[in-house]
Every structure is written in C-alpha cells, then in structure tokens.
Amino acid sequence: MSDSKWRVATRTDAEAIAEIYNQGIDDRVATFEVDHRSADDILSWFDQDRPVVIVERDGDVAGYAAAFVYRDRLCYSGVGEFSVYVSRNYRGRGIGRVALDGLIAHCRERGFWKLLSRIFPENEASLALCREAGFRVVGTYERHGKLDGDWRDVIIVEKLIDDTSGDTLGPNR
Ligand SMILES: CC(C)(COP(=O)(O)OP(=O)(O)OC[C@H]1O[C@@H](n2cnc3c(N)ncnc32)[C@H](O)[C@@H]1OP(=O)(O)O)[C@@H](O)C(=O)NCCC(=O)NCCS
C-alpha cells in the first residue's frame, strides 16, 4: 500500500503534469491524443478552474488526476470526465489509486455528483484501477475513434460521488 498523499495541484505543477501526460500519449494506451502538451497548455486548465490533483513521491510529482467538463449544458454541470496518469517510473505502486481517490474527494467538495471516463479495452491497468475505486462499467462505444489510423473501442465507466451515493472516502485516505 502506498504512503503517498494527494494534494490539489497548483500552477507550479504544470511542467511535471505535461511531462507525465506526454508519456501517456507516447505509450498509446490511454488517449486518442497524439500531440504533446506543453506546460502552457496545462496552465490553461488552471485558467479554466478544472479540478486537478497530484500525488508526490520522493519529492517528485508521480502522478495526477484531472476532471474536465463533460458537456456545456447546465444540467450536466456536476458531471466530470476524468483522466489519471502516473509517471512511468511510478506505475504499479498505488499512485494511481491515491490520485483517483483524491480527485473523487476534491470533486465532491466542489459539488460534482458524478465522474466518468472512457477507457481503451486493452488498458487493463486503468480498468483495474477504476474497478477498485468503485466505478461501474456502463458499456462499450464501438469504433469510437481512430488512433494511428486504427478504429478503437472505448469502455465507459462511471461513479456517483455525491454525499448521497453512500461513498464515505475522505481526502488522503
Ligand atoms: C492506469 C494507471 C493510471 C494506473 O496507475 P498505477 O499507479 O499504475 O495503478 P495502482 O498501482 O494505483 O493500481 C491500482 C489498481 O490497478 C491494478 N493494476 C495496476 N496496474 C495493472 C496492470 N498493468 N494490470 C492489471 N492491473 C493493474 C492494481 O493491481 C491495483 O489494484 P489493487 O488495488 O487490487 O491492487 C497507470 O498505469 C498509468 O498512468 N498508465 C498510463 C496512462 C493511462 O493509461 N491512464 C489512464 C487513462 S483513462
């Protein structure tokens, strides 16, 4: 079990977040994105007040989780689409779980009632992480997009996170 703690990210974390995200882009397991992000790109997340948490280990930013607007319509204002990325050096050591639990707690405090994500079926680590964190599989979008010219399916997962959902996880558990 990890002894790492999460905290809300600040603008000074932008460079580390970009580096970790770019590893995930290069690995081709997590996202349809293929273009690297700069620290300035990540800074725009803070301008938009997106929920972002990071996990530190041994003085490094080892991973992060972030939520994005699911849809612009007001009725969906409490639904966040999230992603979680862990530095290659730290994967499989509990960092992703701490980051995701931290994001859930942070989003709950900010009034979100649901988090969801779309995961490639081949991404066993991400599916396992979400399952362990209490997400349920909603279903599969077939041929949802192309990555490097190949059609890819995505599995949708969701979790109700508001106070009425029966989940009592606190921050830094
Ligand atoms: C997916 C990812 C975030 C998981 O983070 P992590 O720190 O490596 O995962 P953790 O060590 O916290 O493990 C969480 C759970 O997933 C399981 N798991 C982790 N890696 C796994 C793997 N490769 N295969 C199967 N299960 C795995 C763990 O066993 C653990 O379950 P447990 O609590 O029952 O032991 C990380 O591997 C990563 O950044 N991958 C590349 C980017 C990515 O795919 N992001 C997700 C986009 S949706």
Side-chain angles (χ1 to χ4, degrees):
M1 179 53 79
S2 166
D3 57 0
S4 305
K5 297 269 194 285
W6 65 272
R7 65 167 168 79
V8 176
T10 68
R11 299 175 73 89
T12 57
D13 299 313
E15 197 161 328
I17 290 171
E19 194 173 317
I20 293 169
Y21 188 21
N22 291 336
Q23 290 179 2
I25 290 172
D26 289 344
D27 291 342
R28 294 294 198 269
V29 294
T31 174
F32 285 106
E33 298 293 341
V34 293
D35 296 327
H36 276 193
R37 295 297 193 277
S38 67
D40 280 346
D41 293 327
I42 305 302
L43 285 173
S44 71
W45 298 1
F46 295 93
D47 296 338
Q48 296 158 15
D49 197 27
R50 294 178 176 178
V52 187
V53 304
I54 63 113
V55 178
E56 284 174 319
R57 175 68 75 87
D58 303 331
D60 294 331
V61 177
Y64 75 90
F68 305 87
V69 172
Y70 166 68
R71 294 279 191 279
D72 283 338
R73 293 179 60 189
L74 186 61
C75 60
Y76 298 130
S77 61
V79 180
E81 184 152 9
F82 78 92
S83 56
V84 51
Y85 286 80
V86 173
S87 166
R88 286 181 190 139
N89 296 336
Y90 289 101
R91 289 180 195 162
R93 295 162 61 178
I95 302 288
R97 181 65 193 273
V98 175
L100 185 51
D101 285 349
L103 185 72
I104 291 168
H106 181 48
C107 286
R108 180 185 294 126
E109 281 173 8
R110 289 187 47 168
F112 285 76
W113 59 80
K114 178 187 282 195
L115 287 176
L116 60 85
S117 192
R118 286 168 288 136
I119 302 172
F120 290 140
E122 301 80 11
N123 194 342
E124 291 179 12
S126 186
L127 288 168
L129 168 62
C130 289
R131 187 172 54 242
E132 292 301 321
F135 285 76
R136 77 176 184 99
V137 170
V138 178
T140 301
Y141 283 134
E142 296 180 338
R143 292 163 61 97
H144 204 54
K146 281 186 174 178
L147 180 59
D148 297 328
D150 296 326
W151 285 111
R152 303 292 292 268
D153 297 347
V154 292
I155 294 175
I156 311 146
V157 298
E158 72 167 10
K159 180 180 172 74
L160 295 172
I161 63 166
D162 64 0
D163 288 338
T164 61
S165 64
D167 182 345
T168 55
L169 292 181
N172 290 319
R173 97 184 247 284

